[in-house]
Amino acid sequence: MKQIFNISILAVVLLSMAGCSRCSRTEKGSAMDDNSMMKETTPKEDVLAGALNVAVDETVYPLVKEQEEVFLSAYPNARLNLIVKPELLAIRAMLSNEAGVAVLARELNETERDYFKKRSIKPRIFPVWTDAIVVINNTKLADTTVTIEYLVNAMKGESTDRKKIIFDNLNSSTFRHLKDLGKLEKVASNFVEAIGDSEKVLEAVANDPGKVGILGYNVYLDLISSFPNKNNIRILSVQNTIGEGADNNYYRPNQSTIAAAQYPLSRTFYVLNYQPNLGLGIGFSAFLTGDRGQRIVLKSGLVPATMPGRDIIIRDEINL
């Protein structure tokens, strides 16, 4: 009797072990299946698939955001992470390997390029559009025009009317552009103020006639339509005294004056691809410079680097 009892217990133990073994194999198999599914669902790195970090000059973020939305709708296996910063910080994001592609108002300088040369990375750089820098004041003032000389003198601390020049950020492309135009190493802190972002520039000028605002044209167009005090804001015409096309006339920024190189505070934007491999940076750059991307630029009010083509169909006969 005792022997039969021991055999029964042994049988139960063996059955339990067999069941656990099957359970373990099933769980392991399930985990393997899950890993396989993850590998299958994760986009493989390619020119039109994978993930890409893009450093973006914040003054053209509205346009780049629109480009991103259309690009991702066309290529669902792609993922973009827009790192939106003032120009100097966007460049630092590239140098720290935080971003492999950037959309900026200038190419890298020699010191910045050397960092990538040491890593044997050859960039792919293309112009994508022309934007402008807007100068605004309060409508309570009679002034409707401004000269670049006035802006530079004010930044040097030699302002005749004691007005402050307001920027969004001293790391921004707008500040750097005017500083380069005036060949300034330093600016007068009592006449130059950084206020945080473009919307705050609008607010400062709308509330204080003693301030002149500087901001990017693309972000201005994006903000002004919904700005509550837009009737207090005026865009100033700028005297054209720069380059071969200088005629000393005054121009407001718009698509026509920017395209004709009449508005003197225009600047070219580039897509800079410093990805070390043939990845998504190539696909996104091609989209920005291609027909679809350039049409988005045209629609935004800026000037595309290449004018999109138009197909016109002419019929010999019209059927009514």
Side-chain angles (χ1 to χ4, degrees), residues 228-246:
N229 295 323
K230 62 184 177 182
N231 292 332
N232 292 353
I233 298 290
R234 173 195 294 123
I235 291 184
L236 297 177
S237 298
V238 182
Q239 188 179 28
N240 182 14
T241 56
I242 295 177
E244 296 179 359

Side-chain angles (χ1 to χ4, degrees), residues 63-64 66-68 70-71 74-75 127-129 283-308:
L63 175 53
V64 178
E66 187 175 356
Q67 296 273 8
E68 177 200 31
V70 178
F71 178 75
Y75 306 104
V128 282
W129 59 71
F284 187 54
S285 298
F287 177 83
L288 293 178
T289 57
D291 186 78
R292 199 168 182 184
Q294 295 293 284
R295 286 182 186 279
I296 295 172
V297 176
L298 190 63
K299 180 185 173 185
S300 75
L302 302 188
V303 177
T306 56
M307 194 61 66

Side-chain angles (χ1 to χ4, degrees), residues 42-55 67-82 99-103 124 126 271-289:
T42 300
K44 186 179 179 181
E45 181 69 20
D46 197 351
V47 294
L48 293 175
L52 176 68
N53 289 346
V54 183
Q67 296 273 8
E68 177 200 31
E69 291 172 355
V70 178
F71 178 75
L72 295 182
S73 68
Y75 306 104
N77 289 327
R79 292 195 300 269
L80 299 181
N81 175 33
L82 302 184
V101 172
V103 179
R124 301 172 181 86
F126 305 98
V271 55
L272 296 83
N273 181 8
Y274 278 86
Q275 265 195 316
N277 58 345
L278 300 177
L280 188 56
I282 291 178
F284 187 54
S285 298
F287 177 83
L288 293 178
T289 57

Side-chain angles (χ1 to χ4, degrees), residues 160-229:
T160 56
D161 57 11
R162 315 298 293 179
K163 289 187 177 69
K164 274 196 172 186
I165 310 299
I166 309 298
F167 293 88
D168 54 353
N169 194 299
L170 296 188
N171 292 317
S172 69
S173 57
T174 53
F175 177 75
R176 189 265 311 162
H177 190 95
L178 284 179
K179 193 177 173 186
D180 288 351
L181 278 180
K183 299 179 181 178
L184 304 175
E185 293 185 4
K186 296 181 180 180
V187 298
S189 58
N190 55 328
F191 285 98
V192 174
E193 183 179 352
I195 206 161
D197 59 46
S198 296
E199 189 167 6
K200 289 180 180 177
V201 172
L202 290 177
E203 291 172 357
V205 173
N207 295 326
D208 188 350
K211 294 180 178 179
V212 175
I214 309 291
L215 65 165
Y217 186 43
N218 179 237
V219 75
Y220 170 84
L221 292 175
D222 182 66
L223 292 173
I224 196 64
S225 60
S226 59
F227 185 66
N229 295 323

Side-chain angles (χ1 to χ4, degrees), residues 29 40 52 56-57 87 94-95 119-120 139 149 169 175 215 229 231 242 258 267 273 277-278 301:
E40 289 176 3
L52 176 68
V56 178
D57 183 322
E87 180 183 80
M94 291 191 69
L95 297 177
R119 297 171 57 200
S120 300
T139 52
E149 182 182 14
N169 194 299
F175 177 75
L215 65 165
N229 295 323
N231 292 332
I242 295 177
I258 295 171
R267 69 254 178 91
N273 181 8
N277 58 345
L278 300 177

Side-chain angles (χ1 to χ4, degrees), residues 19-33:
C20 289
S21 177
R22 285 194 300 270
C23 181
S24 176
R25 285 197 300 270
T26 302
E27 289 176 356
K28 186 175 180 181
S30 177
M32 291 176 66
D33 290 343

